[in-house]
Amino acid sequence: MLRIYKSQNSHLALVDLLNGLASAEPVIWFDLFSPSAEETRLVESRLGLEIPTRDEMQEIELSDRLYQEDGAEFMTMTATAKLDSDYPVKVPVTFILKGTTLVTVRHADPKSFQVYANRIQKPNGAACETGELVMLGLLEAMIDRTADALERAGSDVDAISREVFRKSGPSATKKTRDLQSLIEQIGQKGDLLTIIRESLVSVGRLVAYHVALEGSAPRKAAKESRQRIKLIQRDAASLGDHALFLSNKINFLLDATLGLINLEQNQIIKIFSVAAVMFLPPTLVASIYGMNFEVIPELHWQLGYPYVLSMMVLSAVLPYLYFKRRGWL
C-alpha cells in the first residue's frame, strides 16, 4: 500500500495516487506499507534511489541500518507493534530522507503511524512542511506510545509484586498460589520490556546519526527541529532508564517467585521427612516382635499384644509432640 501526503497550507493532506504523482506540488511523505513491487519501483523512479528490501531492513549491522546513498539518508530503526496485546512484536521501519521528502518503509502497522497521520490532517494539526518534520513527528508518536506501554507495564509489575509478596490472613484457608501463572506473567512483561528497550536504543541511534550528518544550512538553522530532536533524545534516554528499572524489578520478582517455589517444595519434602521419622520407632517395635525366633519372652504373654501396640502408639506420639513443640509441623 502506498500513501502520498502533500503540504496544503503548511499541513499535510492525503492525496490519491494518480493526482499525487501528476500534480506539480512536491510530495512531503511517501508511506510504503507492505508495498508491492510496482509501488516500490514507482517511488524509486520518482526519487532516484533504491529502497531496501524486507530482508535488508532486518539486518542488525549498524552500517546496514544507518547510511547515505544516492544523496539520501537511510535510517532503519526497530519499532514496536501490538503493544496493547499479550504478544507485542518488534518490526523494522526505514526512514529515507531526500531533500524535503520522506519515505517510510514498513511491513507492519504500528499504531503510532495511524495516530500521527490522523493528527496531522486535522485543521489545527502541527505544521509539517518538510519530510524531516514528519519523521520527527513519527518518532514523537512512537515515544508517546512507548511511554503509555511502560506506564501499563509498571502497573502490571506492581500488581505482580503484590501477588508474590502478599500475606494471608489468619483465617484464610491454606491454598497454594498459582506460581506458574505468575512466572508466565513475569515472562510476558520481561519480553515486553526487552522489546521496548531495544526500540528506545534504536531511536537514540537514529536521531544521533541524523544530527551528526552534515545537512543543509536551512536544516541546521531550524531551531524547532533542534529542540524537538533534543526532546526526543531526552525522552528516549529517560524512558530507557525507566525500562531498565522495570527490567531489574522483573528479574527480582522472578528470583523471588522461584524462591517461593523452592520453599513450597522444601515444605513438602519436610512433611515426608517428619512422617518417616514419626513412623520409624513403631516400625522398629513391630520388626522386633515380628522376628521368627523360637524363644521370645512376650510371645506367650497374655498382655503382650496390647503391650506392643501401646509401645508402637507411644513411640509415634512422642516424636509428633516433639516436632509440634519445635514448630516443625
Side-chain angles (χ1 to χ4, degrees):
M1 180 185 297
L2 173 60
R3 297 187 180 96
I4 298 177
Y5 295 86
K6 289 191 173 184
S7 180
Q8 295 181 0
N9 299 325
S10 298
H11 298 283
L12 287 190
L14 179 64
V15 297
D16 58 86
L17 184 60
L18 294 179
N19 295 333
L21 296 178
S23 175
E25 297 178 357
V27 176
I28 301 298
W29 180 18
F30 289 100
D31 184 21
L32 290 169
F33 171 42
S34 297
S36 62
E38 181 181 356
E39 292 172 340
T40 301
R41 287 193 299 267
L42 186 64
V43 177
E44 289 177 342
S45 61
R46 177 88 176 196
L47 299 178
L49 49 81
E50 184 179 354
I51 294 176
T53 63
R54 186 170 187 174
D55 293 335
E56 292 173 344
M57 292 171 59
Q58 293 176 343
E59 296 289 341
I60 62 174
E61 292 86 355
L62 198 60
S63 59
D64 293 332
R65 284 179 162 250
L66 305 171
Y67 61 94
Q68 283 184 301
E69 189 177 87
D70 299 326
E73 301 177 28
F74 290 78
M75 296 167 285
T76 301
M77 63 163 290
T78 300
T80 56
K82 301 181 180 179
L83 290 177
D84 297 331
S85 66
D86 294 333
Y87 302 98
V89 294
K90 57 182 181 180
V91 293
V93 175
T94 298
F95 297 93
I96 305 173
L97 274 178
K98 186 168 186 180
T100 59
T101 302
L102 171 69
V103 180
T104 55
V105 186
R106 55 197 175 96
H107 296 274
D109 192 17
K111 193 174 180 180
S112 53
F113 271 75
Q114 188 61 42
V115 170
Y116 177 74
N118 294 335
R119 183 191 307 163
I120 60 176
Q121 294 181 75
K122 295 180 179 179
N124 57 347
C128 296
E129 299 178 351
T130 63
E132 182 189 26
L133 294 178
V134 175
M135 183 186 72
L136 296 180
L138 286 171
L139 292 177
E140 289 172 346
M142 292 180 183
I143 292 291
D144 292 341
R145 287 279 299 164
T146 302
D148 294 339
L150 278 178
E151 185 178 355
R152 292 192 299 270
S155 300
D156 294 339
V157 170
D158 291 339
I160 294 174
S161 178
R162 289 191 296 269
E163 180 66 21
V164 171
F165 298 109
R166 70 177 181 179
K167 293 182 178 179
S168 300
S171 60
T173 57
K174 293 183 178 180
K175 183 178 180 181
T176 303
R177 285 175 286 180
D178 193 359
L179 297 178
Q180 180 179 354
S181 176
L182 287 178
I183 291 179
E184 292 174 356
Q185 296 178 38
I186 291 173
Q188 289 178 354
K189 299 307 171 186
D191 290 341
L192 172 62
L193 293 174
T194 300
I195 292 174
I196 288 177
R197 288 181 61 192
E198 184 175 349
S199 177
L200 292 172
V201 170
S202 180
V203 170
R205 288 177 178 175
L206 185 150
V207 175
Y209 176 81
H210 178 64
V211 173
L213 288 178
E214 294 181 0
S216 59
R219 191 184 72 185
K220 284 187 174 181
K223 184 177 180 180
E224 179 186 358
S225 297
R226 292 199 303 268
Q227 291 178 346
R228 293 176 67 177
I229 288 174
K230 289 181 180 179
L231 287 175
I232 291 173
Q233 290 177 319
R234 190 181 308 162
D235 291 342
S238 60
L239 290 177
D241 293 339
H242 186 58
L244 178 60
F245 164 75
L246 291 178
S247 297
N248 293 334
K249 190 172 183 179
I250 279 291
N251 292 331
F252 169 71
L253 290 176
L254 179 60
D255 294 338
T257 306
L258 294 177
L260 290 176
I261 292 176
N262 290 332
L263 288 176
E264 290 193 357
Q265 291 177 343
N266 292 338
Q267 185 68 22
I268 295 174
I269 297 301
K270 184 178 71 173
I271 293 174
F272 282 105
S273 300
V274 171
V277 172
M278 287 174 55
F279 285 104
L280 180 60
T283 304
L284 177 62
V285 174
S287 300
I288 293 175
Y289 287 100
M291 293 185 293
N292 296 323
F293 289 108
E294 292 183 0
V295 180
I296 297 180
E298 295 85 1
L299 184 60
H300 302 287
W301 185 24
Q302 186 176 3
L303 299 178
Y305 179 68
Y307 169 74
V308 173
L309 287 181
S310 301
M311 288 184 61
M312 293 174 63
V313 172
L314 184 62
S315 62
V317 170
L318 289 178
Y320 173 79
L321 295 177
Y322 176 77
F323 293 143
K324 191 72 172 179
R325 185 176 181 181
R326 295 294 299 269
W328 295 350
L329 292 176

